[in-house]
Amino acid sequence: MDVVTLRRTWLAPLFFFQIYLTVSVVLFFAGPWPWEVEHPIWLACYLFAAQLMIAIGYFMSWDGARSALLPESDREREIELTLVYLRRALMVSLVLLIPTALSRTGSAFPAVVEGLRDTGAAYNRNFARLQEGNPFLVVEYIRIALAPYFLAVFPITVVLWGRLSKHMRVLACFVIAFNLAIYIATGTNKGFADFVVTLPWLVFLGVAARTLRVRVPRKLLVPIFLLLFVAFLQFFGAGQAQREGGVGEMGVLNTGAGLLEADPMHFVSRGLSDSGRIIFESITRYLGQGYYALSMAFGIDHASTLGFGHSMFLARNADAIFGTDHFTAGSLPGLLEERTGWGMLALWHSIYPWLASDVGFAGALLVMGLFAYLFGLSWGCSLATLRAHWILMAFMMIILFFYIPANNQIFQNAETCAAFFMVCFSLLWRRWRRTSAIKPAGAAQGGGQA
């Protein structure tokens, strides 16, 4: 891959997510939900500043991405190492498929048909089951310890599809389908949503890196991905219509302090069927409620949660270790629930209050710039090297940026939070080893010249 092709492909995620975030802000201010924001101009300016920091951070990563370009022989060696990593990930995933299903669905084989037929009821039943206690909790701890392997199967399989043997393709597809079945059986949107929003980017990455040859004509790829997205919307809409409280069907959101009703006369809602209206109102509710929580959080005084409050997983464990509730209840989402009733777990806050719990709202903008830098670097290095951990990091950053209007998604879940830090450590360790190896060689060369 030459530098010109790399830069053109490297820029694609930045352009997409700038448009995506802009659309989410427009839907917040002009959608069917009458969010009552006390200082709308201040909120809009903050969201604009966040997108500006994302652009700055992303552009700053270009030098690192460009310098990652490798000679073809070195790149082939990296691909072989990534394939070895995938084989290990498949082996670990296969061993824990049934235990994972038992832990997350209560059954060795996910009831996919039931999940599709009665999505909301499946979600409610599984939620009630987990509230009573999970006898297979040890499985979740094992998955946390081996998190990067479980995360790796899907993205590496797609990106390196053209380099996989038929045996590996069959095993990988089985693992991916089984994991999706778990989400469908429990009526959970997240797994299906992550699959739908990341698949086009992984295909794009594989095609650009020349490790995925798409036999379907490229002009048909967009319709195929659109059909997949429509299928997700149908699953999403069915789940929302059947959720308890009528939040989807009746267009009513319990904010903790009262009920907020979507406008049924909104110009988009009027032109849709009942199922279409439910999907539209539900998506705009998902994209908008986080910004509403952000607007309410601006005026809350709080003490720093010292690097733990941005993640519910880390905050809960920090509270358990130090015998306090500061890191959960003292986070901005926790304080917002205490003061307004806006649920810390039941409702969304966008990524910003979670980050601001640790570093304040100005600091949250800087962190967004750092995430954008990491996104640009991991995407560029994935294109240039196809190294397993760069692909994993790019995959996680795609998910993180899609969930910006909702929450700090990667860090809320124990598995992805652990995977992020493990992958970061691995990348830093490799960089340190390479730097340490270069320095003695340079010193020896200099000594010989003296």
Side-chain angles (χ1 to χ4, degrees):
M1 180 179 291
D2 59 82
V3 175
V4 175
T5 303
L6 175 64
R7 183 171 178 83
R8 185 172 60 248
T9 312
W10 171 79
L11 283 170
L14 175 62
F15 288 147
F16 173 83
F17 280 104
Q18 289 289 340
I19 294 171
Y20 165 75
L21 292 174
T22 299
V23 169
S24 72
V25 174
V26 170
L27 287 174
F28 173 79
F29 285 105
W33 294 90
W35 310 108
E36 297 178 1
V37 179
E38 187 173 352
H39 301 291
I41 295 178
W42 169 241
L43 175 64
C45 288
Y46 187 86
L47 294 174
F48 171 78
Q51 289 189 230
L52 180 62
M53 289 301 300
I54 288 170
I56 292 172
Y58 198 95
F59 278 117
M60 288 178 65
S61 71
W62 168 241
D63 286 342
R66 180 179 55 187
S67 64
L69 279 169
L70 297 173
E72 194 60 29
S73 59
D74 292 343
R75 190 169 179 267
E76 286 297 320
R77 189 158 47 249
E78 289 293 344
I79 291 174
E80 289 300 320
L81 292 174
T82 301
L83 289 174
V84 171
Y85 193 90
L86 177 58
R87 291 188 190 100
R88 294 174 185 164
L90 283 171
M91 182 173 59
V92 171
S93 299
L94 286 167
V95 169
L96 283 184
L97 273 185
I98 299 301
T100 298
L102 287 169
S103 174
R104 297 185 176 180
T105 72
S107 173
F109 299 98
V112 177
V113 175
E114 187 65 25
L116 290 172
R117 186 177 60 188
D118 199 356
T119 305
Y123 176 87
N124 295 330
R125 284 195 301 270
N126 195 60
F127 181 80
R129 179 185 69 85
L130 292 175
Q131 289 293 101
E132 297 175 358
N134 185 357
F136 303 99
L137 193 59
V138 65
V139 176
E140 301 301 327
Y141 288 116
I142 295 173
R143 289 185 64 94
I144 292 171
L146 301 173
Y149 286 128
F150 295 108
L151 198 69
V153 174
F154 172 53
I156 295 179
T157 294
V158 176
V159 173
L160 295 187
W161 182 260
R163 299 297 186 92
L164 303 184
S165 65
K166 290 183 179 179
H167 179 68
M168 286 185 68
R169 288 178 180 179
V170 170
L171 288 179
C173 288
F174 175 71
V175 169
I176 293 167
F178 196 96
N179 284 324
L180 283 175
I182 290 175
Y183 284 104
I184 294 173
T186 55
T188 307
N189 295 320
K190 175 179 162 45
F192 200 1
D194 290 353
F195 176 83
V196 170
V197 299
T198 58
L199 179 60
W201 288 104
L202 296 173
V203 171
F204 179 46
L205 175 57
V207 171
R210 305 189 309 277
T211 53
L212 174 61
R213 292 179 175 85
V214 181
R215 296 183 180 180
V216 178
R218 293 191 180 185
K219 63 182 180 181
L220 293 180
L221 281 179
V222 172
I224 289 173
F225 287 136
L226 286 176
L227 286 174
L228 184 62
F229 184 66
V230 169
F232 164 70
L233 289 180
Q234 293 299 318
F235 177 76
F236 174 77
Q240 292 299 305
Q242 297 163 7
R243 291 283 176 93
E244 291 182 350
V247 59
E249 190 171 12
M250 294 187 291
V252 177
L253 175 65
N254 185 351
T255 68
L259 297 179
L260 186 68
E261 297 183 18
D263 179 11
M265 300 306 294
H266 187 270
F267 71 94
V268 174
S269 300
R270 286 183 308 190
L272 298 173
S273 63
D274 284 343
S275 60
R277 176 189 58 79
I278 290 173
I279 293 172
F280 173 64
E281 290 178 354
S282 297
I283 287 179
T284 53
R285 185 184 76 247
Y286 269 58
L287 289 174
Q289 63 180 276
Y291 294 148
Y292 181 59
L294 170 63
S295 71
M296 293 189 289
F298 280 138
I300 297 178
D301 293 327
H302 73 288
S304 172
T305 44
L306 307 175
F308 296 99
H310 71 280
S311 162
M312 183 52 61
F313 166 67
L314 294 177
R316 284 171 170 168
N317 282 277
D319 279 345
I321 292 171
F322 296 108
T324 180
D325 66 352
H326 171 69
F327 300 104
T328 50
S331 67
L332 277 170
L335 293 171
L336 186 64
E337 180 175 23
E338 178 186 351
R339 299 186 184 189
T340 68
W342 187 270
M344 178 170 59
L345 301 179
L347 299 170
W348 282 358
H349 300 73
S350 82
I351 194 174
Y352 305 108
W354 291 103
L355 299 178
S357 297
D358 292 333
V359 295
F361 284 105
L365 295 178
L366 295 177
V367 174
M368 290 307 302
L370 290 174
F371 279 143
Y373 176 85
L374 186 56
F375 190 8
L377 184 63
S378 60
W379 179 257
C381 289
S382 296
L383 288 163
T385 70
L386 292 168
R387 188 173 299 156
H389 285 130
W390 282 127
I391 295 173
L392 282 177
M393 183 57 69
F395 176 65
M396 287 188 282
M397 288 297 101
I398 291 170
I399 294 174
L400 184 143
F401 273 76
F402 264 112
Y403 279 88
I404 281 175
N407 59 28
N408 192 12
Q409 182 65 26
I410 290 297
F411 297 91
Q412 303 297 39
N413 178 276
E415 202 168 300
T416 50
C417 182
F420 175 85
F421 288 111
M422 289 179 187
V423 171
C424 279
F425 177 80
S426 177
L427 291 170
L428 290 172
W429 174 256
R430 179 163 181 154
R431 181 179 179 84
W432 178 82
R433 286 182 62 188
R434 186 171 63 249
T435 304
S436 300
I438 292 173
K439 286 182 179 178
Q445 185 177 14
Q449 291 173 346

